[in-house]
């Protein structure tokens, strides 16, 4: 099955963002274990653990687990279940990752495309046999509908993926009723015109957010779209046959036009990490993502001879950071934000929370992402003495509270991550407290810019710095949505202009010099 998504800045565009987040690291690699269940001669192999038991499993089924509620499958609103969307829907293009971490764009629903000389107009030709899992043809009208919907659906988390299209602002403001920059030529041809040249546009169209939906099924579903599986219609290799907040079952799409996957059925269950670990050892899970389990369990599997030939590892293009709300006192004081940077012992977090399987990142651009510059790493040092000096200069002490927000459903790693930061901030004289919210309240407060500080994690949707700079900080709307409330107009304008630079070297230089 396809895969499913860590900030201190030093670059020209990002210099003013320096004290909005505290980058902890990017994970060194994503590691997954294949159980005996995936081996031809070893389903439920008793050698994996003395607790293992023989379990009868239907042919062709792969069993997986995640720690995030599955819930709503509306790709415009749910950013927690990308790996399901990637298997149910298709996009105009796909982005394939090479073994060395680089990536390339390959055709998917669009078999070919042309770009105008000024870089503003894209003309796509769709595959002749494209169709949805209900047998209905997939046409250019569905493409238009899907991309437009990212701007218009209430509570959309994905506006940044189409707001560069001509007429996007007017559509969102209610001045126009259709997205002017998209023109359906016929069932197989569609033109998309941008406000300005955006060199990464095609790459971005391979993101999960740009999945192509069935206009007919989404319209028929109305407000129930995303929760009623009868209307979750895609053109990808799988269909959803069962779905709830804690369980999803997928089976082969009989109308899928690509190569038939080796996995015929898949079940995804929501579990806390300790239960995932136990179920895997008992042979009740076929794949265990080691990002979910505690460091002791990771070490157990990596050091165990039984598992050495079952470990699959890949680099993650990802950052984990502490997001700070620049609008809330005392975080509205730049010296306080800078003190927090110096106060956090990031290496301790890497070792104690993630078992050493990560590396420090001193910038918004993680290793593996286009524009990453190794020469810009290593400048941020753990310096609690400097942190105390800055807090003294700012007149900040125990009376000033720093609220570290965490969800009541947070896994062990996130709890430990937040607790260690609380210890570090307390050690330099800040009154750091943990504030626990239920998942829905935390999400609402974050989206409305009211969270004071929290763990922020971002996995690259497409291979370009724009996905980090613009998506997170490129507008006041985005800044509020992720509760940074960053509002420096000069920097925001530079971020917007940077995405339109057509000369590759100049654009990368704007991000990283």
């Amino acid at each position: 099955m396809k895969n499913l998504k860590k900030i201190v800045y030093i670059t020209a565009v990002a210099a003013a963002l320096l004290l909005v987040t505290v980058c902890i690291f990017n994970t060194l690699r994503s590691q997954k274990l294949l159980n005996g269940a995936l081996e031809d001669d070893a389903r439920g192999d008793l050698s994996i653990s003395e607790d293992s038991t023989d379990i009868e499993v239907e042919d062709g089924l792969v069993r997986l687990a995640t720690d995030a509620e599955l819930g709503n499958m509306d790709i415009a609103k749910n950013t927690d279940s990308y790996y399901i969307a990637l298997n149910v829907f298709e996009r105009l293009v796909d982005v394939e990752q090479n073994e060395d971490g680089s990536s390339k764009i390959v055709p998917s629903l669009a078999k070919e495309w042309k770009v105008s000389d000024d870089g503003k107009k894209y003309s796509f030709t769709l595959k002749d046999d494209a169709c949805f899992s209900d047998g209905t043809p997939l046409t250019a009208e569905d493409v238009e509908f899907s991309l437009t919907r990212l701007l218009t659906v209430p509570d959309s988390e994905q506006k940044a993926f189409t707001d560069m299209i001509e007429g996007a602002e007017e559509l969102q403001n209610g001045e126009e009723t259709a997205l002017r920059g998209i023109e359906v030529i016929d069932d197989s041809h569609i033109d998309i015109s941008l406000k300005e040249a955006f060199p990464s546009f095609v790459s971005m169209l391979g993101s999960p957010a740009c999945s192509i939906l069935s206009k007919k099924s989404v319209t028929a579903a109305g407000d129930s779209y995303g929760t009623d599986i009868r209307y979750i219609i895609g053109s990808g290799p799988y269909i959803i046959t069962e779905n709830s907040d804690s369980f999803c079952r997928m089976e082969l799409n009989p109308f899928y036009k690509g190569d038939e996957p080796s996995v015929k059925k898949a079940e995804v269950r929501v579990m806390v990490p300790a239960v995932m670990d136990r179920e895997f050892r008992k042979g009740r899970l076929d794949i265990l993502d080691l990002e979910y389990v505690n460091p002791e369990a990771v070490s157990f599997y990596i050091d165990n001879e039984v598992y050495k030939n079952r470990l699959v590892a890949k680099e993650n293009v990802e950052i984990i950071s502490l997001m700070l709300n620049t609008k809330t006192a005392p975080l509205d004081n730049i010296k306080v934000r800078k003190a927090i940077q110096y106060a956090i012992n990031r290496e301790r977090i890497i070792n104690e929370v993630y078992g050493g399987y990560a590396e420090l990142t001193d910038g918004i651009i993680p290793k593996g992402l286009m524009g990453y510059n190794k020469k810009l790493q290593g400048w941020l040092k753990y310096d609690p003495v400097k942190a105390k000096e800055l807090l003294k200069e700012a007149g900040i002490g125990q009376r000033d509270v720093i609220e570290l927000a965490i969800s009541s459903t947070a896994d062990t790693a996130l709890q430990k991550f937040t607790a260690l930061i609380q210890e570090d901030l307390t050690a330099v004289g800040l009154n750091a407290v943990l504030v626990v919210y239920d998942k829905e309240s935390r999400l609402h407060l974050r989206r409305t810019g009211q969270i004071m500080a929290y763990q922020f994690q971002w996995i690259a949707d497409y291979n370009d710095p724009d996905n980090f700079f613009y998506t997170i900080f490129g507008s006041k709307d985005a800044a509020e949505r992720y509760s940074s409330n960053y509002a420096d107009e000069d920097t925001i304008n530079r971020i917007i202009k940077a995405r339109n630079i057509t000369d590759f070297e100049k654009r990368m230089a704007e991000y990283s010099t």
Side-chain angles (χ1 to χ4, degrees), residues 291-339:
E291 284 195 48
Y292 293 134
V293 300
N294 63 49
E296 292 77 15
V298 173
S299 296
F300 166 80
Y301 288 117
I302 291 177
D303 298 337
N304 194 319
E305 285 295 311
V306 172
Y307 297 101
K308 68 178 183 179
N309 294 323
R310 300 177 184 174
L311 183 65
V312 178
K314 61 170 288 188
E315 297 288 331
N316 272 359
V317 183
E318 164 183 44
I319 57 171
I320 287 180
S321 63
L322 180 68
M323 183 69 81
L324 304 178
N325 193 327
T326 62
K327 193 176 180 179
T328 305
L331 297 180
D332 56 347
N333 188 320
I334 192 170
K335 290 186 177 181
V336 176
R337 301 198 299 271
K338 192 171 184 178

Side-chain angles (χ1 to χ4, degrees), residues 336-349:
V336 176
R337 301 198 299 271
K338 192 171 184 178
I340 291 174
Q341 286 186 318
Y342 285 119
I344 296 175
N345 188 339
R346 299 180 295 162
E347 290 188 351
R348 182 171 74 137
I349 292 175

Side-chain angles (χ1 to χ4, degrees), residues 200-419:
S200 291
F201 183 63
V202 173
S203 177
M204 188 190 67
L205 290 176
S207 306
C210 297
S211 296
I212 305 305
L213 315 178
S214 164
K215 178 180 180 179
K216 176 183 175 182
S217 66
V218 175
T219 303
D223 293 340
S224 68
Y225 182 73
T227 57
D228 189 334
I229 63 173
R230 294 177 299 170
Y231 301 105
I232 303 175
I233 305 298
S235 60
Y238 297 93
I239 59 174
I240 298 175
T241 57
E242 294 181 56
N243 185 55
S244 68
D245 285 345
S246 60
F247 176 78
C248 180
R249 180 180 172 92
M250 294 181 285
E251 300 183 7
L252 287 181
N253 171 8
F255 292 96
Y256 181 57
K257 302 301 182 181
D259 297 333
E260 183 174 323
S262 58
V263 174
K264 309 305 179 187
K265 309 164 193 173
E267 290 182 352
V268 183
R269 299 181 187 276
V270 177
M271 302 177 183
V272 297
V275 174
M276 287 185 205
D277 184 17
R278 184 190 69 202
E279 294 295 278
F280 182 78
R281 297 191 196 201
K282 289 179 175 294
R284 294 171 182 160
L285 288 178
D286 299 311
I287 298 176
L288 176 65
D289 192 331
L290 296 187
E291 284 195 48
Y292 293 134
V293 300
N294 63 49
E296 292 77 15
V298 173
S299 296
F300 166 80
Y301 288 117
I302 291 177
D303 298 337
N304 194 319
E305 285 295 311
V306 172
Y307 297 101
K308 68 178 183 179
N309 294 323
R310 300 177 184 174
L311 183 65
V312 178
K314 61 170 288 188
E315 297 288 331
N316 272 359
V317 183
E318 164 183 44
I319 57 171
I320 287 180
S321 63
L322 180 68
M323 183 69 81
L324 304 178
N325 193 327
T326 62
K327 193 176 180 179
T328 305
L331 297 180
D332 56 347
N333 188 320
I334 192 170
K335 290 186 177 181
V336 176
R337 301 198 299 271
K338 192 171 184 178
I340 291 174
Q341 286 186 318
Y342 285 119
I344 296 175
N345 188 339
R346 299 180 295 162
E347 290 188 351
R348 182 171 74 137
I349 292 175
I350 288 175
N351 293 326
E352 295 187 19
V353 179
Y354 300 98
Y357 293 101
E359 57 187 24
L360 298 178
T361 295
D362 295 348
I364 192 171
I365 304 177
K367 184 179 179 180
L369 189 74
M370 182 190 301
Y372 175 81
N373 188 341
K374 188 175 181 179
K375 294 180 181 179
L376 298 179
Q377 299 299 309
W379 61 271
L380 179 63
K381 307 295 183 182
Y382 171 54
D383 191 343
V385 174
K386 182 66 174 178
K388 290 178 181 179
E389 292 175 356
L390 287 166
L391 291 175
K392 184 178 180 179
E393 291 175 15
I396 301 298
Q398 281 291 322
R399 71 185 184 279
D400 299 288
V401 176
I402 303 295
E403 295 182 354
L404 302 172
I406 192 170
S407 171
S408 58
T409 59
D411 60 29
T412 303
L414 178 51
Q415 293 177 37
K416 182 68 172 176
F417 172 97
T418 311

